[in-house]
Amino acid sequence: MFESLGGRLEGALSRIRGKSRLTQADVEETLIEIRRALLDADVNLAVVDSVAERVRAAAVGAMASPSLTPGQQVVKAVHDELIRVLGQETFRIRYAPAPPTVVLLAGLQGSGKTTAAGKLALHFKTAGRLPMLVAADLQRPGAVLQLEVLGKQIAVPVFSEATDPVKVATRGVAEARRLGRDVVIVDTAGRLAIDEPLMAEMAAINDAITPDYRFLVIDAMIGQDSVEIARRFDAELEISGVILTKLDGDARGGAALSVKEVVGKPVAFASVGEKLEDFEPFYPDRMASRILGMGDVLSLIERAESTMDQEVAQRGADRLKEGKFDLEDFLDQLRQVRRMGPLKGVLSMLPGVPKELRNQDIDEAEIDRVEAIISSMTPTERRNPTLIDFSRRTRIAAGSGTSPTDVQVLLKKFKEMSKMMRQIGVGPKSATRKRAASGRKRRKR
Amino acid sequence: MEYLVIALVLLVLLGFVATKGRRGRVPAAEVVQEVAAPSAVPARIAEEVGDFAAKEPSYAGSLSRSRGPFSQLFARIRGVGEVDAVAAQVEETLILADLGPALAEAISGDLRRSLGGKSLDSESVRQALATELKARFLEADRTLDYGDHKPGVVLFVGVNGTGKTTTIGKLAAHLAGEGVKVTVAAGDTFRAAATEQVSAWADQAGVDLVSGQAGADPASVIYDAIEHAAAIGSDVVLCDTAGRLQNKGNLMDELRKIRRVAEKGAGAVTEVLLVIDATTGQNGLAQARAFGEAVSVTGVVLTKLDGSSKGGVAVAIESTLGLPVKLVGLGEGIGALRAFDVDAFVDGLLGENG
């Protein structure tokens, strides 16, 4: 897995963070790291270079101001730069004064147009509109049927006929008008941006139905070619914006940044899951965080949602809040967490995890041992670990194939962690006590 | 063990966020049954599939659109005499071709060394770069293995929209043309109309198809197809699977199960092919890693090379993960699915002469 840009910056900056002064060499080193990380996030090379230039300017400024923490300033400069490129505003649909509002979807094969059409229709329907879908992809086998199935699932009518794409689109829009539908979404066949006959057909559809919105559907996993593809579709269609699909994957989605910077067209919507309702307006600030690496939290949540048992998770959360989290709960949660995959991978996605911890090699066999130790305790022992004396410890060690010392270490660490949990505010009562205590200490000094 | 416990308890906190409940796949299910397939559509599909069969592209022809940055590179080199500047430009070009920053840097570094002291005309740079690129590929057997025991089972896996179904359709037609007896397993029971899509291809190729109800367990559809193939004496079973993003744990588990169950059938799983779209950027590496770990991928199919994309991530996958590219899709026609040929690929990308 790629380390997040945030993580890599942290690495690059760890050397200079403590310095009160940045040298030219420090800046260059950091810029190389920033550049690589952005390229690994599939940000287009031209955009990477311009971002790096502006960050350099900021860093040079930081070199000149010894009173501030220069490292932090560089990080902030990168973040600000990403936000600046992505823009602050969320795209808003303005409905046509004379309905229907016509929306045309275009893009490469496999970018997810048909699914996006269904999701967009549901989005409009949820907003209280009366959408209609038009199946003008007569190219891919099964595409019309796919849209019809989607339409059925969300109870939105689908227009299709076996003529040609321009006719289907034109008659589809006319049909929507006749039926009093106020938004029409036209799905088209996937095409390569360089396929001239098919791009001409796209232009013909565009001319025939004069859409209010022309969206280019782009896969979040796309590489350096995103800019070229967007440019060509924009030249042909004058696109209104981009729909970014498959954003629920772990791709960083550098395409969003690239297309906005080079073609000047914003990302309007993002598809964030497999269900039809997993579709939302695009939030530029969230994307900046994702590219910087904070977005991992979202994928983590995603993964937790898809693998964890809701009741068990909720019970664990409740027990933590009540400050009653014991080894029984720990075992439950441990088994849940392990379902998400290798622990090291999961841990690397958590924000704010100290670097030493993130880089710690976690041997899954060791976790097996932790599980074995707790499994070898009686339920009473798990509820109340203070019961565990020498003889019980020996029994548990024998039962789990470990040593009494292992058992002892686990119990000790669990106790320390439970205490820490309460201190960081999970258990409300003890948190106040801790704050009071440390306050008193400070006053004494 | 200290870090371990800290880590675990941190993770326990995750419980807070997982309150929205288990997210499974909600398949198109019965709805497919309700929608009467519009009578005009199958005819149309057959017609379109028929059209595909006509075109027969070449590596050089399909890759001509991908060549842009390389052509510009060689054109620029004419005016540059200095090896470092050439290497820097090569690095940029390789990055634009989606080889990724690390590999691009490594290749340009090697190029700098091999070009040292030589004349720097565009042809010598092109040749040196071709040599460096070709050296990054494995000396691997790229032929598909169907095994000795009938039927050989080939699983197609990958993220959504890379072209698994289309690849199966073309491969089925190609194999049938060579007299191989093919059974297609319509194992994508999730995406609406995926079964109809693959069955249009199977009809066109004149091969046997086994499908299940929409929303059926894909592992059992594939198992049934293998048993059926064994019973009728098929040589090979091409198994479609639903597209899935590699970070969805439950869907990757489903894929593991599909592979396990497929092994239990009458045949043997001889190939697990990861289908990757040539437009894919560096996430392709993450895909190859995750699918490789989950189901022991044996090779890569690189699709959609006829666009302007370069498919450079496949070079990165092969050179860093050791997964050989076995097939490429050079265009829309059935004849456009080809065995991967390193020399033709590299020469097509770089152009015959600068």
Side-chain angles (χ1 to χ4, degrees):
Chain A
M1 274 310 298
F2 303 119
E3 203 184 335
S4 67
L5 175 53
R8 290 170 61 157
L9 280 180
E10 201 179 292
L13 291 168
S14 57
R15 289 179 305 109
I16 60 171
R17 181 163 288 136
K19 296 190 181 176
S20 56
R21 221 173 254 279
L22 289 185
T23 66
Q24 191 65 41
D26 291 333
V27 171
E28 291 308 319
E29 191 84 3
T30 309
L31 280 172
I32 287 173
E33 203 53 43
I34 290 171
R35 205 165 165 274
R36 274 193 204 131
L38 288 171
L39 287 170
D40 270 338
D42 290 317
V43 178
N44 183 269
L45 181 62
V47 180
V48 170
D49 285 341
S50 68
V51 167
E53 264 331 293
R54 280 189 288 262
V55 172
R56 182 196 305 274
V60 170
M63 280 166 68
S65 59
S67 61
L68 295 163
T69 48
Q72 295 302 334
Q73 275 188 304
V74 176
V75 179
K76 187 172 180 303
V78 178
H79 189 258
D80 289 353
E81 185 57 25
L82 294 185
I83 296 275
R84 188 198 64 78
V85 172
L86 282 166
Q88 304 269 13
E89 270 163 49
T90 305
F91 192 92
R92 293 187 74 90
I93 292 272
R94 284 194 192 81
Y95 296 98
T101 303
V102 180
V103 178
L104 179 67
L105 300 187
L108 303 178
Q109 288 95 339
S111 53
K113 285 174 298 301
T114 306
T115 305
K119 289 179 171 183
L120 192 56
L122 180 61
H123 174 84
F124 284 127
K125 192 180 175 194
T126 311
R129 298 278 153 173
L130 294 169
M132 178 160 143
L133 287 158
V134 176
D137 177 0
L138 304 179
Q139 193 84 18
R140 178 167 57 91
V144 174
L145 182 58
Q146 185 184 351
L147 196 65
E148 280 172 348
V149 171
L150 293 175
K152 193 109 189 168
Q153 284 177 333
I154 57 176
V156 165
V158 178
F159 178 87
S160 67
E161 55 175 32
T163 53
D164 68 74
V166 180
K167 270 194 197 139
V168 173
T170 317
R171 297 187 41 167
V173 173
E175 183 67 4
R177 193 168 286 126
R178 192 182 69 81
L179 292 174
R181 309 300 294 191
D182 55 14
V183 183
V184 197
I185 299 154
V186 181
D187 182 28
T188 63
R191 62 201 75 220
L192 296 168
I194 50 160
D195 186 328
E196 277 155 25
L198 279 179
M199 288 304 275
E201 180 198 271
M202 184 90 254
I205 297 174
N206 189 34
D207 290 346
I209 59 174
T210 56
D212 299 280
Y213 291 97
R214 295 157 304 276
F215 290 123
L216 174 63
V217 181
I218 288 189
D219 183 322
M221 292 174 272
I222 195 169
Q224 292 289 322
D225 217 28
S226 59
V227 164
E228 187 55 25
I229 289 161
R231 231 187 230 138
R232 286 180 187 261
F233 273 96
D234 191 41
E236 204 66 64
L237 290 179
E238 214 185 300
I239 59 173
S240 325
V242 165
I243 294 175
L244 201 59
T245 60
K246 309 177 202 172
L247 205 52
D248 48 330
D250 56 11
R252 301 225 164 269
L257 199 72
S258 312
V259 171
K260 177 68 170 43
E261 176 78 347
V262 177
V263 188
K265 299 298 165 74
V267 180
F269 295 97
S271 181
V272 292
E274 292 203 327
K275 284 184 285 184
L276 287 168
E277 60 268 32
D278 294 334
F279 190 77
E280 54 185 38
F282 178 80
Y283 302 101
D285 47 339
R286 285 191 205 169
M287 192 69 207
S289 304
R290 182 188 179 104
I291 293 172
L292 265 169
M294 286 132 81
D296 278 337
V297 187
L298 296 179
S299 20
L300 196 58
I301 291 174
E302 192 82 27
R303 204 193 282 187
E305 276 174 11
S306 65
T307 54
M308 286 187 156
D309 183 305
Q310 185 190 348
E311 272 178 39
V312 178
Q314 186 60 51
R315 193 168 64 225
D318 291 345
R319 301 280 296 179
L320 266 176
K321 276 185 217 156
E322 292 160 15
K324 288 181 187 159
F325 196 82
D326 59 29
L327 280 164
E328 183 87 33
D329 303 303
F330 183 71
L331 186 63
D332 274 359
Q333 302 302 323
L334 172 60
R335 286 181 174 150
Q336 284 259 29
V337 167
R338 295 198 78 183
R339 281 160 61 179
M340 292 170 66
L343 206 60
K344 184 164 170 57
V346 177
L347 200 63
S348 70
M349 293 162 100
L350 268 181
V353 175
K355 204 154 166 264
E356 313 81 71
L357 184 52
R358 212 184 314 124
N359 296 337
Q360 187 78 11
D361 250 330
I362 294 172
D363 184 359
E364 295 286 320
E366 194 150 351
I367 311 172
D368 290 339
R369 275 173 39 219
V370 170
E371 225 183 293
I373 293 173
I374 305 177
S375 303
S376 300
M377 297 175 187
T378 66
T380 326
E381 285 164 352
R382 288 179 213 153
R383 291 279 172 227
N384 187 7
T386 48
L387 282 177
I388 300 175
D389 54 15
F390 177 76
S391 89
R392 283 177 191 257
R393 206 153 61 222
T394 318
R395 192 203 77 239
I396 293 165
S400 58
T402 57
S403 72
T405 324
D406 287 339
V407 179
Q408 178 76 348
V409 169
L410 175 68
L411 289 172
K412 188 169 160 243
K413 290 300 162 194
F414 181 75
K415 204 172 153 195
E416 282 173 14
M417 276 314 300
S418 310
K419 208 163 119 196
M420 201 176 107
M421 287 308 212
R422 283 194 293 272
Q423 285 171 351
I424 61 175
V426 178
K429 268 178 291 173
S430 24
T432 356
R433 217 183 303 138
K434 150 91 180 159
R435 231 173 283 136
S438 64
R440 224 173 307 146
K441 228 186 253 168
R442 226 173 285 135
R443 266 198 301 275
K444 237 186 241 174
R445 257 187 253 137
Chain B
M1 194 171 300
E2 175 169 6
Y3 281 129
L4 194 60
V5 179
I6 298 174
L8 291 174
V9 180
L10 271 176
L11 287 168
V12 164
L13 283 173
L14 273 176
F16 285 126
V17 301
T19 47
K20 276 198 235 161
R22 201 188 176 88
R23 238 176 51 100
R25 279 197 161 177
V26 189
E30 318 72 41
V31 193
V32 176
Q33 260 54 45
E34 290 172 32
V35 179
S39 57
V41 173
R44 183 76 204 177
I45 291 174
E47 193 184 304
E48 294 294 347
V49 174
D51 280 352
F52 284 159
K55 306 165 194 167
E56 275 265 345
S58 66
Y59 269 86
S62 294
L63 284 166
S64 63
R65 308 293 199 167
S66 312
R67 207 173 289 150
F70 288 99
S71 304
Q72 286 163 25
L73 167 74
F74 298 128
R76 273 202 311 266
I77 284 171
R78 293 202 176 94
V80 183
E82 215 253 312
V83 72
D84 284 346
V86 169
Q89 291 189 358
V90 167
E91 186 180 330
E92 287 193 355
T93 309
L94 295 175
I95 286 171
L96 285 173
D98 287 323
L99 274 83
L103 186 56
E105 198 182 313
I107 292 176
S108 76
D110 288 350
L111 192 73
R112 181 179 295 133
R113 276 184 286 282
S114 71
L115 281 177
K118 292 195 188 133
S119 76
L120 288 175
D121 60 281
S122 57
E123 182 55 22
S124 64
V125 174
R126 192 191 66 78
Q127 279 178 12
L129 179 56
T131 309
E132 288 297 339
L133 279 174
K134 287 172 189 175
R136 301 287 156 165
F137 287 94
L138 306 167
E139 296 270 352
D141 181 7
R142 297 175 192 275
T143 53
L144 292 188
D145 175 16
Y146 303 119
D148 303 327
H149 305 288
K150 285 185 183 180
V153 177
V154 182
L155 294 179
F156 289 79
V157 302
V159 301
N160 317 59
T162 54
K164 288 177 290 300
T165 307
T166 306
T167 301
I168 287 173
K170 291 175 185 175
L171 186 59
H174 174 77
L175 290 173
E178 289 186 338
V180 177
K181 194 165 182 196
V182 178
T183 294
V184 170
D188 181 355
T189 55
F190 174 69
R191 179 163 58 89
T195 296
E196 284 72 9
Q197 185 180 350
V198 80
S199 81
W201 278 106
D203 285 353
Q204 165 70 19
V207 303
D208 184 40
L209 173 91
V210 176
S211 62
Q213 297 272 312
D217 173 24
S220 66
V221 172
I222 287 172
Y223 182 83
D224 289 349
I226 296 169
E227 292 298 297
H228 170 78
I232 65 165
S234 282
D235 300 304
V236 55
V237 189
L238 305 179
C239 308
D240 198 10
T241 63
R244 65 201 72 224
L245 297 173
Q246 71 275 11
N247 61 340
K248 309 259 163 163
N250 53 338
L251 299 182
M252 294 305 275
D253 284 344
E254 180 190 85
L255 200 59
R256 286 187 188 95
K257 178 182 163 196
I258 289 175
R259 196 191 200 292
R260 266 201 317 275
V261 172
E263 292 284 6
K264 286 189 185 138
V269 177
T270 53
E271 295 275 2
V272 180
L273 298 177
L274 173 66
V275 183
I276 289 198
D277 183 326
T279 54
T280 309
Q282 297 311 296
N283 191 248
L285 278 168
Q287 292 171 24
R289 259 187 216 116
F291 280 96
E293 273 166 25
V295 289
S296 312
V297 170
T298 58
V300 169
V301 181
L302 185 61
T303 59
K304 308 183 200 174
L305 257 183
D306 49 335
S308 50
S309 302
K310 290 82 189 164
V313 75
V315 185
I317 289 170
E318 180 154 339
S319 86
T320 60
L321 300 179
L323 282 180
V325 181
K326 294 205 164 176
L327 297 172
V328 284
L330 295 175
E332 300 214 320
I334 281 171
L337 184 73
R338 295 290 181 78
F340 183 65
D341 177 334
V342 174
D343 292 339
F345 174 74
V346 172
D347 293 337
L349 206 53
L350 300 189
E352 280 308 315
N353 47 60

